């Protein structure tokens, strides 16, 4: 006996970027005293780097071109532990996002240093290489950064985390190779610049706190030392110092947790770290906080925190491999910047997160897709429009919509040409005649679909009324309204 089922399958779509994050350079010969560096095939560094140098180290940016990236490369033309390099022409390509807290500056410095080592080998001291690149950041880019970014760029190992002692400059690889784990990087797309006043001020406040505590560094201080000196510190400096002292202890605990495979403990420390960066060190922002909150509410996520210098950039999340799809779905947000007019020529810059929702529907019974196209409609500035099956031959329907956040004014929402999804909230028994089959047409005032949970609820209402039954639910059959994939049969 052969049974033929009418199958309905729902998938919530994801946007993925699987390209690796890397920086590379290609070179050719040039005149003995001339160095030319440009960019190709990369939107990440092209705007920052295009210049000409002499092998003596002076920089001559091309007319009309910024030289911010040039500042990071200029001192590397003459590595301190190697003879002068010959002239060359080089092209640099990078896929590391700028201002994302993913060490784009350090990767550029280390990649260029590595390239120069091929031209004129030095003594191969990796620690000295990292320190030299850090010095370039200090003296030429004007960022008083620590050694972490350069250190991990030089000394990092595949499938390992790196525990760095910034005082002794010792690095200890910590295994992180469990195939059941995934590290997810989420970019808030809020750009940061660490050359402003905020980042250097944090370092200055920590140095002031160490001096008041009569310590060479906060590395030598304890929470008891800090509490004993609290009356001599202003509130802001106290909070900065408390974050640093507690973060040092968290880092040591996190390394031990990784060694033991205690991922829940490690994740808990990640969240504590982010909360401290948000509340005590005050280098997070609304968008980063939202990404962390969206990640940690998903089952299978161990922990999440901002990464980098703060004020924008990315979050890093540790999670089980099987949770990756639903986590990406839950944090799929778009950050929107807009001006809110308060008075004539008085505008207030606002930011909000806009979530893009996507549903992919496949049904062997084409008439049911027709029914869904009548049940759901898009709300646009031109009025309601009906969706159409995206693939006439393969019976597929793709819905993509953007619910309007409460903090986003209607005119700004319309300016972005977003469209919402609305659904009829009651049924009528009118019969639609045609050569496909008879279906029920909804007749009522529409209501907005604000999230995927609401969409699944509406879809189930329609499909169960048409005789479908639930066949499978992913990931959790007991939580059908928060499913990632849903299959029904009739």
């Amino acid at each position: 006996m052969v049974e033929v089922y009418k199958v309905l399958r729902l998938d919530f779509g994801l946007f993925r970027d699987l390209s690796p994050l890397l920086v590379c350079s290609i070179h050719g010969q040039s005149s003995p005293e001339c160095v030319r560096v440009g960019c190709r095939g990369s939107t990440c560094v092209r705007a920052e780097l295009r210049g000409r140098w002499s092998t003596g180290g002076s920089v001559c940016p091309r007319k009309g071109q910024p030289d911010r990236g040039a500042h990071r490369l200029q001192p590397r033309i003459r590595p301190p532990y190697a003879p002068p390099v010959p002239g060359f022409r080089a092209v640099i390509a990078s896929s590391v996002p700028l201002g994302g807290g993913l060490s784009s500056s350090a990767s550029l410095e280390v990649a260029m240093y590595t390239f120069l080592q091929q031209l004129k080998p030095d003594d191969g001291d990796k620690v000295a290489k990292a320190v030299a690149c850090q010095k370039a950041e200090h003296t030429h880019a004007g960022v008083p950064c620590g050694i972490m970014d350069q250190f991990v760029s030089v000394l990092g190992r595949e499938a390992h985390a790196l525990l760095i002692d910034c005082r002794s400059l010792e690095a200890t690889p910590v295994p992180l190779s469990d195939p059941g784990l995934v590290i997810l990087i989420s970019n808030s797309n809020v750009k940061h610049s660490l050359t402003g006043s905020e980042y250097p001020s944090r370092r200055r406040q920590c140095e002031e706190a160490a001096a008041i505590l009569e310590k060479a560094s906060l590395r030598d201080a304890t929470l008891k030392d800090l509490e004993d000196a609290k009356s001599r510190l202003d509130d802001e400096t106290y909070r900065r110092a408390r974050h640093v002292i507690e973060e040092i202890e968290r880092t040591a605990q996190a390394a031990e947790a990784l060694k033991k495979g205690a991922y829940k403990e490690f994740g808990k420390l990640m969240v504590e770290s982010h909360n401290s960066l948000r509340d005590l060190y005050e280098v997070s922002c609304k968008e980063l906080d939202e990404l962390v909150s969206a990640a940690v509410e998903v089952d299978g996520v161990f922990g999440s925190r901002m990464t980098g210098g703060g004020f924008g950039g990315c979050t890093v999340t540790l999670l089980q491999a099987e949770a990756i799809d639903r986590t990406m779905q839950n944090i799929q947000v778009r950050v929107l910047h807009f001006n809110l007019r308060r008075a004539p020529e008085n505008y207030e810059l606002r930011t909000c997160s806009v979530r893009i929702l996507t549903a992919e529907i496949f049904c062997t019974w084409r008439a049911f897709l027709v029914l869904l196209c009548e049940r759901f409609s898009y709300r646009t500035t031109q009025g309601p429009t009906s969706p159409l099956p995206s693939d006439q031959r393969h019976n597929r329907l793709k819905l993509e919509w953007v619910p309007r956040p409460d903090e986003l004014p209607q005119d700004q929402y319309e300016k972005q040409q977003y469209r919402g999804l609305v659904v009829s909230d009651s049924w009528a028994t009118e019969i639609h005649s045609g050569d496909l089959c008879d279906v029920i047409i909804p007749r009522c005032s529409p209501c907005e679909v604000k999230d995927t949970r609401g969409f699944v609820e509406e879809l189930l209402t329609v499909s169960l009324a048409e005789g479908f039954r639930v066949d499978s639910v992913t990931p959790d059959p007991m939580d059908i309204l928060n499913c990632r994939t849903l299959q029904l049969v009739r």
Side-chain angles (χ1 to χ4, degrees):
M1 177 179 179
V2 178
E3 294 182 320
V4 179
Y5 291 95
K6 295 173 179 176
V7 179
L8 170 66
R9 182 179 176 88
L10 168 69
D11 288 282
F12 289 109
L14 298 171
F15 298 99
R16 298 172 181 262
D17 183 1
L18 301 179
S19 58
L21 300 181
L22 55 88
V23 177
C24 63
S25 60
I26 305 170
H27 80 283
Q29 293 183 346
S30 184
S31 59
E33 296 295 323
C34 183
V35 172
R36 294 176 182 267
V37 178
C39 300
R40 183 179 180 86
S42 170
T43 59
C44 295
V45 297
R46 185 181 298 127
E48 283 222 6
L49 174 64
R50 193 170 294 174
R52 292 179 292 128
W53 292 264
S54 72
T55 54
S58 60
V59 59
C60 306
R62 289 183 182 178
K63 184 178 181 180
Q65 296 291 342
D67 64 349
R68 296 187 297 269
H71 285 319
R72 293 182 174 88
L73 293 189
Q74 178 187 348
R76 298 281 59 78
I77 301 303
R78 289 290 297 273
Y81 307 111
V85 297
F88 64 85
R89 292 175 298 168
V91 176
I92 294 179
S94 173
S95 59
V96 183
L98 291 177
L102 299 179
S103 308
S104 58
S105 296
S107 64
L108 179 62
E109 295 151 7
V110 172
M112 194 65 185
Y113 198 118
T114 304
F115 159 65
L116 294 175
Q117 284 178 307
Q118 310 308 308
L119 295 180
K120 286 289 183 178
D122 59 5
D123 59 9
D125 187 328
K126 291 186 176 181
V127 173
K129 178 178 178 179
V131 171
C133 291
Q134 180 199 28
K135 184 178 179 181
E137 197 84 20
H138 289 181
T139 60
H140 291 266
V143 179
C145 64
I147 194 64
M148 181 182 70
D149 289 0
Q150 289 79 8
F151 233 64
V152 75
S153 293
V154 174
L155 297 168
R157 291 188 193 175
E158 184 178 359
H160 286 77
L162 195 67
L163 179 63
I164 303 171
D165 187 322
C166 298
R167 172 177 288 171
S168 66
L169 298 183
E170 294 176 310
T172 306
V174 180
L176 186 57
S177 57
D178 189 329
L181 291 180
V182 167
I183 297 175
L184 176 65
I185 304 296
S186 306
N187 194 344
S188 70
N189 290 314
V190 177
K191 302 298 182 184
H192 69 180
S193 174
L194 301 184
T195 56
S197 62
E198 290 297 328
Y199 184 85
S201 74
R202 299 301 188 278
R203 179 160 184 162
R204 184 175 61 254
Q205 288 167 334
C206 292
E207 291 170 348
E208 291 173 355
I212 292 173
L213 269 59
E214 299 181 349
K215 304 291 184 182
S217 164
L218 289 178
R219 167 82 171 271
D220 301 316
T222 64
L223 281 179
K224 184 179 183 304
D225 295 331
L226 182 64
E227 293 302 321
D228 291 343
K230 187 174 182 179
S231 61
R232 292 180 284 147
L233 299 166
D234 63 77
D235 180 65
E236 192 173 79
T237 303
Y238 167 80
R239 286 186 282 112
R240 305 295 188 253
R242 181 180 168 187
H243 163 75
V244 172
I245 294 171
E246 292 180 338
E247 189 78 347
I248 291 171
E249 178 61 25
R250 271 191 295 268
T251 302
Q253 294 174 0
E256 292 303 314
L258 274 188
K259 292 175 184 177
K260 297 184 296 185
Y263 302 128
K264 287 185 179 180
E265 180 184 347
F266 183 87
K268 179 174 177 289
L269 292 167
M270 290 180 72
V271 176
E272 289 177 1
S273 175
H274 179 82
N275 292 342
S276 181
L277 288 162
R278 179 193 65 203
D279 301 332
L280 299 180
Y281 214 55
E282 295 182 287
V283 292
S284 186
C285 62
K286 175 184 175 182
E287 293 79 13
L288 291 174
D289 296 340
E290 183 171 337
L291 285 173
V292 169
S293 297
V296 298
E297 69 186 19
V298 178
D299 185 40
V301 170
F302 295 113
S304 183
R305 71 184 292 273
M306 56 159 280
T307 185
F311 312 107
C314 297
T315 61
V316 57
T317 302
L318 183 70
L319 66 158
Q320 295 172 347
E322 57 87 19
I324 183 65
D325 282 348
R326 60 178 179 269
T327 304
M328 290 179 66
Q329 175 65 36
N330 205 50
I331 64 177
Q332 185 180 321
V333 295
R334 174 178 295 172
V335 177
L336 175 67
H337 302 273
F338 62 94
N339 285 319
L340 187 63
R341 187 170 184 175
R342 292 298 190 187
E345 299 183 2
N346 184 7
Y347 292 87
E348 179 181 335
L349 180 63
R350 291 289 189 90
T351 302
C352 71
S353 297
V354 179
R355 190 177 296 271
I356 307 165
L357 304 179
T358 306
E360 301 264 6
I361 302 171
F362 166 76
C363 187
T364 57
W365 183 30
R366 180 168 172 73
F368 187 73
L369 293 182
V370 175
L371 174 61
L372 292 180
C373 290
E374 294 171 339
R375 174 77 163 165
F376 294 96
S377 61
Y378 292 123
R379 176 178 286 165
T380 68
T381 54
Q382 290 77 34
T385 60
S386 296
L388 296 173
S390 56
D391 191 324
Q392 299 284 344
R393 188 174 60 181
H394 295 102
N395 295 335
R396 295 183 182 276
L397 173 65
K398 180 178 180 179
L399 300 174
E400 185 173 289
W401 71 101
V402 178
R404 183 176 70 84
D406 293 337
E407 63 269 30
L408 181 63
Q410 182 66 37
D411 64 323
Q412 294 291 333
Y413 178 82
E414 294 174 354
K415 182 180 179 180
Q416 301 297 322
Q417 297 185 333
Y418 293 141
R419 60 186 183 184
L421 187 69
V422 295
V423 61
S424 302
D425 56 12
S426 66
W427 289 91
T429 55
E430 180 179 342
I431 302 299
H432 173 72
S433 59
D435 55 357
L436 293 171
C437 70
D438 294 337
V439 296
I440 301 173
I441 299 179
R443 297 293 185 214
C444 62
S445 59
C447 61
E448 185 179 2
V449 180
K450 295 187 176 182
D451 51 32
T452 54
R453 182 185 178 91
F455 177 79
V456 173
E457 188 172 3
E458 293 293 342
L459 182 67
L460 285 172
T461 300
V462 180
S463 57
L464 295 178
E466 287 297 309
F468 285 90
R469 62 177 175 81
V470 177
D471 182 60
S472 65
V473 179
T474 304
D476 184 2
M478 302 302 294
D479 191 16
I480 189 170
L481 293 183
N482 291 313
C483 69
R484 171 72 180 86
T485 300
L486 173 66
Q487 182 165 303
L488 302 99
V489 296
R490 180 177 186 268

